[in-house]
Amino acid sequence: MSESILPKPVAVLYDWDNTLVDTWPVIHAAMNALFRHMDMPEWSLDETKSRVRKSMRDSFPEMFGDRWEEARDVFYASFEALHLDALVAAEGAAALLSSLSAAGVPQAVVSNKQGRYLRTEAAHLNWTGHFHRLIGAGDAARDKPAPDPAALALDGLGCALGRHVYFVGDSGVDMEIAHAAGLTPILIHPDPDLSGEFRNCPPVRHFDGLPAFHHFLTAEQRFI
């Protein structure tokens, strides 16, 4: 899609972890607690960032085989002990969400975090009111990058999947769901390798952070 025909968004869907909130330290700590339990080598933070992409129901059976449900329970026990105390909003997230809410632009979240944790974290940040829906792993028939959760996130808005809906995220999986659902993929990433993870699912726009995306919406395109 060329820059000159980028449509005005009628709705904006977001990834959650490391798009609207910074949760890498919590995910990393919980994964390594799990690896210690499983007597497996621990990951560096960079390895966690590069390897944690799919939802648990898609990734854990591949990683842990018949023990994946045990692995799930160990991971969540560690995660629950940490996630709210360590939850940090991404720079510019609160201002962006408030601005779009004030402009009447519908917003929703599509995450591969389990839905109950996603909704608990949104409530903890007092952000629930910004979102039409908060869709997590297990809420739709299939998880991201399948298009199902994007369609569920828009249900009730009278808004079909299409280029007029932005999907904003930080990973290849986020760009994949945008392409799979026919949405406009917006990448938020400080230093992406566009020839690597995003080669087969390139973003239409790339911003180094949410403040730059917010500026694009408000100043450059007069969208809100």
Side-chain angles (χ1 to χ4, degrees):
M1 181 184 300
S2 71
E3 295 192 359
S4 62
I5 60 172
L6 186 64
K8 178 178 179 177
V10 300
V12 178
L13 308 184
Y14 304 93
D15 173 48
W16 183 253
D17 288 325
N18 307 304
T19 297
L20 292 178
V21 295
D22 179 8
T23 54
W24 280 127
V26 175
I27 294 169
H28 179 61
M31 286 301 297
N32 279 338
L34 169 58
F35 291 143
R36 290 191 294 272
H37 174 84
M38 292 291 195
D39 196 25
M40 296 171 65
E42 295 184 27
W43 286 351
S44 68
L45 181 58
D46 285 343
E47 286 176 312
T48 299
K49 289 181 177 181
S50 66
R51 295 183 184 185
V52 174
R53 289 290 182 261
K54 298 179 181 179
S55 69
M56 182 176 288
R57 68 173 169 178
D58 290 336
S59 63
F60 269 36
E62 296 175 2
M63 296 173 66
F64 302 106
D66 292 342
R67 298 182 67 188
W68 84 268
E69 291 177 322
E70 174 190 353
R72 173 199 62 198
D73 294 343
V74 172
F75 174 86
Y76 279 137
S78 297
F79 181 84
E80 285 184 8
L82 298 169
H83 75 124
L84 291 182
D85 289 339
L87 187 64
V88 177
E91 181 185 1
L96 172 64
L97 296 175
S98 295
S99 182
L100 268 71
S101 289
V105 179
Q107 301 173 93
V109 172
V110 174
S111 173
N112 273 340
K113 170 170 280 174
Q114 192 176 75
R116 66 188 179 100
Y117 294 121
L118 169 63
R119 291 181 279 274
T120 297
E121 291 182 359
H124 182 76
L125 292 169
N126 294 317
W127 285 358
T128 303
H130 289 309
F131 302 116
H132 169 65
R133 289 202 170 179
L134 289 146
I135 304 301
D139 291 336
R142 295 178 295 172
D143 296 326
K144 192 169 61 174
D148 308 52
L152 184 59
L154 296 176
D155 186 46
L157 284 177
C159 172
L161 297 173
R163 294 293 185 185
H164 49 279
V165 177
Y166 287 9
F167 196 101
V168 181
D170 72 307
S171 73
V173 169
D174 297 321
M175 300 302 98
E176 286 179 42
I177 187 175
H179 281 269
L183 313 180
T184 291
I186 304 292
L187 178 65
I188 307 297
H189 198 295
D191 185 26
D193 177 9
L194 295 178
S195 66
E197 181 177 4
F198 309 102
R199 180 187 297 113
N200 297 321
C201 50
V204 170
R205 288 287 197 286
H206 161 236
F207 300 96
D208 63 4
L210 293 175
F213 175 55
H214 192 181
H215 175 77
F216 167 76
L217 291 176
T218 57
E220 298 183 15
Q221 297 295 322
R222 312 290 184 189
F223 283 163
I224 60 175

